Amino acid sequence: MRIIVAGAGIVGVSCAIWLQRAGHDVTIVDRAGPASGTSHGNAGVLAAGAVLPVTTPGLMRRAPGMLLNRDAPLFLRWSYVPRLMPFLMRYLPHATDAHVDRYGAAMSMLLHDTLDQHRALARDTPAARFISEEDYCFGYATRAAYDADAYGWGKRKALGYEFSVISGATHGRDDPVFGTAFDTVVRCHNHGRISDPGAYVQALADHFVAEGGQLHLTEITDVNVTAEGAIDALVTRDGEMRADRIVFAMGPWSKAIAHKLGIKVPFESERGYHIELLNPSRMPRFPMMVASGKFVLTPMEGRLRAAGVIEFGGLDNGPSRAPFALLRRQVASLLPDVTHDGIVEWMGHRPAPADSLPLIGANDPGGRSYSAFGHQHVGLTGGPKTGRIIADLIDGKQPNADLAPFDPMKFAARTARPSGRMT
């Protein structure tokens, strides 16, 4: 079959490679090229244990104080609030124990074997060199701060994730760069790291092209939808593009297309930020989640990346200064003796459905188009397995997993499909 994959991030490239390996004629369409968005700027952690949503019990009680605290990792562009409110009305009610369990069970299936999935995707390609198996660490300044996170660690343990709780001093013998900054460290086992996410995804895309795949750089401006609600064609700056199947993996830019198809997913961009210290004088050995700031310090090739933070501010507004300032303050406090050659700043967009679950599956009963987006904080972690699932579905194979939580059709509009151009 001729298949178009819209989007050249880790999810789109993974879909394309697995479809290509299944024998299909595949074209990736992207407006800027591989890893030009969140797949470049993420923390680089293969976070198998990232099975808790942001919407945990008590979020509505905690959020106002966090927004008013300059050292809290939650930000909001107040001018965007009127547009954000309909989403928040669907998002915040998911902050329940029942939803945490539902989310955890679904995401554990998608994420638990992420290291093996990345190795299978990158096997015998130049991208394989970027993958390593490493503990993913969480650092707490006090024991009380760790105890306050008992809810999340209990949920991970119940799902079978293995971790060790040790003193900061014990961890420091393996990874001394943080000195006495942490009282308690949790080391999550069976995780991994990508040493340069942007270069990794680019290497995968280069392999896809070398194996005969097509990469077409153009902007998708619209989609043609039949009366039955199936995709007929992509409309791009270069004209219409047609295929037997189309996969949408455009991250937060997938919302307009999904709505055009009648998949009325409540959806927002969670803006994420990172700073990078170039050529730092010292590096941590393991990726470290700094619990107080909810950001990850990850050693990368020639630089140290601090990535995280959540800001609701839409797709069109430029970056805010406050998240960068928070990251700079926290990194300087944690690593006062580390020198470097400069700091690079970046802001990108995480695709966030209201229930925090990605959309993976067919958009119409006939399976003419598929969704593969909405992975929020775990696009890198879940990308390869998502690609394998999409390839199986297109080939008529039913994966040995419960895909109901990810089914795009759960958001299918019960009224007529919209007409006109995407907005």
Side-chain angles (χ1 to χ4, degrees), residues 346-395:
W346 176 92
M347 185 273 286
H349 300 274
R350 309 182 190 103
D355 64 1
S356 302
L357 291 162
L359 280 69
I360 306 171
N363 297 321
D364 59 89
R368 289 292 304 277
S369 73
Y370 291 78
S371 287
F373 66 90
H375 291 71
Q376 210 167 16
H377 299 255
V378 292
L380 180 68
T381 303
K385 194 165 190 175
T386 298
R388 189 180 289 225
I389 289 170
I390 290 292
D392 282 348
L393 291 174
I394 288 176
D395 274 346

Side-chain angles (χ1 to χ4, degrees), residues 68-104:
L68 297 174
N69 179 357
R70 69 191 290 265
D71 291 318
L74 178 63
F75 297 88
L76 179 65
R77 289 187 74 118
W78 296 102
S79 62
Y80 191 69
V81 168
R83 294 184 61 186
L84 182 64
M85 285 305 297
F87 171 78
L88 290 180
M89 296 298 288
R90 300 286 298 274
Y91 179 71
L92 293 174
H94 285 97
T96 66
D97 187 64
H99 181 70
V100 170
D101 286 342
R102 177 173 177 265
Y103 177 90

Side-chain angles (χ1 to χ4, degrees), residues 52-136:
L52 269 73
V54 173
T55 48
T56 55
L59 175 63
M60 286 186 278
R61 181 184 68 253
R62 299 189 303 270
M66 293 176 70
L67 289 171
L68 297 174
N69 179 357
R70 69 191 290 265
D71 291 318
L74 178 63
F75 297 88
L76 179 65
R77 289 187 74 118
W78 296 102
S79 62
Y80 191 69
V81 168
R83 294 184 61 186
L84 182 64
M85 285 305 297
F87 171 78
L88 290 180
M89 296 298 288
R90 300 286 298 274
Y91 179 71
L92 293 174
H94 285 97
T96 66
D97 187 64
H99 181 70
V100 170
D101 286 342
R102 177 173 177 265
Y103 177 90
M107 295 304 290
S108 182
M109 180 283 295
L110 188 65
L111 306 181
H112 78 277
D113 57 349
T114 177
L115 185 60
D116 290 341
Q117 293 290 336
H118 275 271
R119 284 173 169 164
L121 180 72
R123 185 173 294 123
D124 299 326
T125 81
R129 75 172 185 85
F130 296 100
I131 305 170
S132 59
E133 181 176 0
E134 295 177 15
D135 287 349
Y136 179 27

Side-chain angles (χ1 to χ4, degrees), residues 24 29 36 132 142 170 172 195 207 220 277 290 329 355 374 420:
H24 299 293
V29 180
S36 57
S132 59
T142 66
T170 298
S195 61
H207 167 75
I220 299 169
L277 310 187
V290 180
R329 286 196 308 273
D355 64 1

Side-chain angles (χ1 to χ4, degrees), residues 3 53 81 116 124 195 224 233 251 266 268 270 322 325 361 365-366 392 401 409 421:
I3 299 173
V81 168
D116 290 341
D124 299 326
S195 61
N224 289 339
E268 260 299 334
E270 268 189 19
D392 282 348
M409 296 297 287
R421 300 186 69 79

